[in-house]
């Protein structure tokens, strides 16, 4: 081995623990990121599925009776007509 290779090997051996610690941290961060993305995707799919399910359910319709308003309108017209 040349002296250059020997020096490189010694340097790698000296920093081995530091490098392994760094690699473990990177692997842990990578796994956490994958878990977070997975949870977000599952939540998004669930929310979308629930929205689709709710959209397909029949909605209750409310019916409004405007007859009293038209009656009030005609009464106001009568009052305004006689008051002038």
């Amino acid at each position: 081995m040349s002296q250059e290779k020997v020096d490189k090997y010694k340097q790698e051996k000296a920093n081995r623990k530091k490098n392994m610690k760094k690699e473990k941290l990177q692997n842990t961060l990578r796994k956490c990121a994958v878990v977070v993305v997975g949870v977000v995707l599952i939540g998004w799919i669930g929310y979308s599925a629930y929205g689709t399910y709710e959209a397909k359910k029949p909605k209750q319709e409310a019916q409004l009776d405007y007859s009293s308003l038209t009656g009030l309108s005609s009464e106001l017209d009568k009052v305004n007509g006689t008051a002038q």
Side-chain angles (χ1 to χ4, degrees), residues 3-58:
Q3 187 61 38
E4 192 175 305
K5 285 183 181 179
V6 171
D7 291 340
K8 184 178 178 184
Y9 175 76
K10 286 182 180 180
Q11 187 179 8
E12 285 178 3
K13 187 175 180 182
N15 293 330
R16 191 170 290 157
K17 286 184 181 180
K18 182 180 171 184
N19 290 338
M20 288 179 67
K21 194 174 191 180
K22 185 177 178 181
E23 285 178 16
K24 283 183 182 180
L25 178 64
Q26 288 176 344
N27 285 337
T28 304
L29 290 175
R30 199 173 297 125
K31 287 176 185 177
C32 288
V34 169
V35 168
V36 167
V37 169
V39 168
V40 168
L41 283 174
I42 290 171
W44 180 41
I45 290 169
Y47 181 76
S48 297
Y50 181 74
T52 303
Y53 170 75
E54 287 294 319
K56 289 182 180 179
K57 285 176 67 175

Side-chain angles (χ1 to χ4, degrees), residues 55-75:
K56 289 182 180 179
K57 285 176 67 175
K59 304 264 189 278
Q60 289 184 348
E61 293 183 16
Q63 294 183 357
L64 299 175
D65 184 17
Y66 291 110
S67 62
S68 60
L69 291 177
T70 55
L72 177 65
S73 176
S74 62
E75 287 181 32

